[in-house]
Amino acid sequence: MAKAKIAYVCSDCGGEFPRWQGQCSECGAWNTISEFRVAPKQSSAGAKYVGYAGQVENKVQTLSNIDLQALPRFSSGYKELDRVLGGGIVPGSAILIGGSPGAGKSTLLLQTMCYLAQHMTTLYVTGEESLQQVAMRAHRLGLPSDKLNVLAETNVETICTHAVNLKPAIIVVDSIQVMHVLDVQSAPGSVSQVREGAAYLTRFAKQNNVAVVLVGHVTKDGSLAGPKVLEHCIDASVMLDGDEDGRYRTLRGTKNRFGAVNELGVFAMTDKGLKEVTNPSAIFLNRAEGDSSGSSVTVLWEGTRPLLVEIQALVDASQMGNPRRIAVGLDQNRLAMLLAVLHRHGGLMLGDQDVFVNVVGGVKVSETSVDLALLLAMVSSFRDQPLDRELVVFGEVGLAGEIRPVPSGQERLREAAKHGFKKAIVPKANMPKDAIPGMKVIGIARLSEALEHL
C-alpha cells in the first residue's frame, strides 16, 4: 500500500506548504495551517480528475451551439430563495448554505425538500440528526412527509451509491462538516475531509445533473468553517443570518455562478417554520408613533428591488476624553469619514460628542446611498429637531461635500411613494423626468443645501 502524502493547507486561502509554519505566507493569517493527508495515487485514479467533473467524453464546440433548454431551472417553492439563487435551482449545481446555529438552515431545507418531493424525486441526507428527529420536526411544522426520501449517513461514497440507484433531482447533505471520505484518514470535520467530501459531491452533481445542497457550519466570526477551497469548488454560496432572539432571517448570496450576488431574501421564523416576507419594507419601516429626533428613512437597492429602512442616530455630549463612534449595520470607517465631511462642509463640530448609529431591523447596509440619510439623522439628533415623518432621503456624499447620484433613483422614489412618503431629498442628478403623483422631490448638489431643508 502506498504511503499517504502529507501536506499542510491554510484554511483561509487554501495555500499548500511542504511543512507546518505559524503564519501563512500567502495571505498572512496566523495559526490557520493544518495537516492535510493526500490519498495515495492508484493506477486508474487519475481518470476521475480528467475533463469537466471527471467526464472524459468531451469535444470542442462553439458556445452558440450549447443547448440552454436541456437543463432548465426549477423552482424551490419559495420565491425568496429562488430570488437569491438567481431564479431557481440549476440541475447539476452545488449550493452551499451557511449560517449560525439556530438560524433555520435545516428548517428551510426540510420545508423546501418536502415541497419538491411532491413533484420530483428528492433525497434528504442527515448526518447530525437521527431519522426520528427529522420526522419529528417535519410533523411539528405540519409538512407533507409521505414522499420525501431520507437517509442517515456520513460516508460520501455510500450517499452517492444510494443516489445512483434512487436518481433524485436534488440532494441535501446536512452537514458537510460531519461527512467523510474513506480514502482520507483524518477525522471528519478536518480540512482534508471537508475538502475531499465537497469535491466528491460536486463531481457527482456535475456528472449526474443532480442539484446538491450542502449545509455548512460557521466560525465565531460568522464566516464559513473549513478550507477556503470549499467556497471555490461550489457554484453558489448563501448565508442565512438572523439574531437568535429575532424573528426575521435574511438570506444573502456571497457567490453565485448563475445569478447576481446582491439579492436579498427575507423570511420570518414562526411556529410552523420559515415564512416568506414578500414586502420587507413594511417590516423594516415599522416606526414608532410620534415625532422623534435622530430618525430618517432611506431607500436601499437590494438586487432587483428597492427596500425602505429606517436609520437612527443618537448624538450626545461625551463624558470621556475619547468620544465613542459606534455603528450597528453600517461601516464604522464610513461613519468617521462622514463626520469629517459634516465638520468641513456642514459647519457642525461633533468631535466632543458620542455618536451611535443603527439600522432598524438588523439589516446590514453596504451601499453608499445611505450617506445623506445618515448625516441628516445625526444632525437631527444633535439639534434635537425631528425630521418630517413623510420625508425620504438618499444620496452618496463625497469628500468635497458634493451629493453624488445613486443607481435606480426613479425606482427608489416610486417605492417610497407607494408607502405614503410625500417628500424626498435626492441628488440633483436623480431628479425624475416626470413628476411622481403625490410626492415633492427636492434635488440638491451640496451638503449645505440639504442642511437648509431641516
Side-chain angles (χ1 to χ4, degrees):
M1 180 177 178
K3 184 178 179 181
K5 178 184 176 182
I6 297 179
Y8 295 89
V9 182
C10 174
S11 60
D12 279 3
C13 67
E16 295 188 11
F17 305 93
R19 64 184 63 84
W20 185 88
Q21 56 193 49
Q23 184 183 26
C24 175
S25 55
E26 299 289 338
C27 64
W30 287 90
N31 299 323
T32 58
I33 298 178
S34 56
E35 183 178 303
F36 173 81
R37 293 182 179 272
V38 182
K41 294 184 179 180
Q42 300 183 17
S43 58
S44 61
K48 67 178 181 179
Y49 298 110
V50 176
Y52 168 71
Q55 299 178 7
V56 295
E57 296 181 0
N58 291 326
K59 61 180 180 179
V60 178
Q61 51 187 323
T62 61
L63 194 61
S64 60
N65 292 331
I66 306 299
D67 184 10
L68 299 180
Q69 303 300 324
L71 295 174
R73 297 175 185 261
F74 59 89
S75 174
S76 65
Y78 290 91
K79 294 181 180 180
E80 295 295 302
L81 179 57
D82 290 343
R83 178 192 298 273
V84 176
L85 294 178
I89 301 174
V90 178
S93 62
I95 304 169
L96 178 64
I97 295 184
S100 57
K105 304 181 297 296
S106 300
T107 300
L108 176 61
L109 291 176
L110 183 60
Q111 292 178 222
T112 302
M113 293 294 281
C114 287
Y115 167 80
L116 292 175
Q118 307 303 313
H119 312 284
M120 60 184 67
T121 305
T122 58
L123 177 60
Y124 187 96
V125 181
T126 173
E128 298 183 345
E129 298 177 282
S130 65
L131 297 181
Q132 290 78 10
Q133 292 173 325
V134 176
M136 286 175 60
R137 187 166 71 250
H139 178 73
R140 176 176 58 86
L141 299 176
L143 300 175
S145 57
D146 54 331
K147 296 184 179 180
L148 177 61
N149 300 300
V150 293
L151 173 67
E153 181 59 61
T154 59
N155 179 255
V156 174
E157 290 94 335
T158 304
I159 293 172
C160 293
T161 301
H162 285 286
V164 169
N165 299 327
L166 187 63
K167 293 182 172 58
I170 181 172
I171 304 173
V172 167
V173 178
D174 188 5
S175 68
I176 187 61
Q177 269 78 18
V178 300
M179 298 296 155
H180 70 277
V181 181
L182 289 178
D183 290 340
V184 181
Q185 301 300 319
S186 56
S190 62
V191 171
S192 53
Q193 286 287 6
V194 172
R195 179 180 181 177
E196 289 299 317
Y200 197 107
L201 291 169
T202 301
R203 285 196 300 271
F204 179 84
K206 306 298 182 184
Q207 292 171 352
N208 298 274
N209 292 327
V210 179
V212 175
V213 181
L214 309 176
V215 177
H217 294 169
V218 296
T219 58
K220 291 185 291 184
D221 61 356
S223 59
L224 283 165
K228 200 66 178 178
V229 291
L230 175 62
E231 299 179 58
H232 293 314
C233 71
I234 49 92
D235 298 310
S237 176
V238 296
M239 293 292 292
L240 186 64
D241 298 322
D243 298 330
E244 296 181 359
D245 56 348
R247 180 186 178 190
Y248 299 104
R249 306 288 190 267
T250 57
L251 187 69
R252 187 185 296 272
T254 58
K255 174 187 177 181
N256 193 353
R257 289 174 176 164
F258 310 112
V261 296
N262 55 353
E263 291 286 1
L264 179 71
V266 183
F267 295 87
M269 179 63 79
T270 67
D271 57 344
K272 293 299 182 181
L274 289 171
K275 302 295 183 183
E276 292 180 284
V277 178
T278 56
N279 187 12
S281 296
I283 297 172
F284 303 128
L285 211 57
N286 188 13
R287 308 179 72 185
E289 295 294 334
D291 295 334
S292 59
S293 60
S295 175
S296 65
V297 176
T298 188
V299 190
L300 307 178
W301 192 259
E302 293 289 349
T304 57
R305 65 179 175 187
L307 181 67
L308 274 75
V309 296
E310 180 184 357
I311 306 295
Q312 290 183 329
L314 175 61
V315 180
D316 192 21
S318 177
Q319 305 299 321
M320 307 172 64
N322 187 17
R324 289 174 289 180
R325 305 284 188 262
I326 298 178
V328 179
L330 294 159
D331 185 6
Q332 192 159 346
N333 293 327
R334 193 158 191 88
L335 171 62
M337 184 193 74
L338 292 175
L339 287 172
V341 173
L342 182 62
H343 177 218
R344 180 68 178 268
H345 301 285
L348 289 180
M349 174 61 179
L350 303 182
D352 57 346
Q353 305 285 318
D354 288 331
V355 179
F356 307 91
V357 296
N358 173 50
V359 183
V360 177
V363 182
K364 293 180 176 61
V365 179
S366 57
E367 65 172 350
T368 57
S369 64
V370 75
D371 289 353
L372 187 56
L374 177 57
L375 280 177
L376 294 186
M378 291 189 293
V379 174
S380 171
S381 177
F382 178 69
R383 295 178 176 176
D384 196 16
Q385 179 182 348
L387 297 174
D388 191 345
R389 288 183 61 86
E390 298 179 343
L391 172 68
V392 65
V393 184
F394 61 83
E396 179 183 352
V397 179
L399 291 179
E402 77 277 14
I403 307 300
R404 297 178 174 271
V406 299
S408 308
Q410 300 208 23
E411 290 80 359
R412 297 175 195 245
L413 289 173
R414 293 193 188 99
E415 179 72 10
K418 187 192 306 182
H419 285 80
F421 288 88
K422 299 180 180 179
K423 185 178 178 181
I425 298 179
V426 302
K428 185 170 291 185
N430 285 128
M431 287 290 291
K433 298 179 181 178
D434 301 323
I436 298 179
M439 174 175 282
K440 178 184 178 182
V441 182
I442 303 173
I444 59 174
R446 306 287 304 176
L447 176 60
S448 57
E449 299 177 32
L451 299 181
E452 293 175 358
H453 292 281
L454 293 181

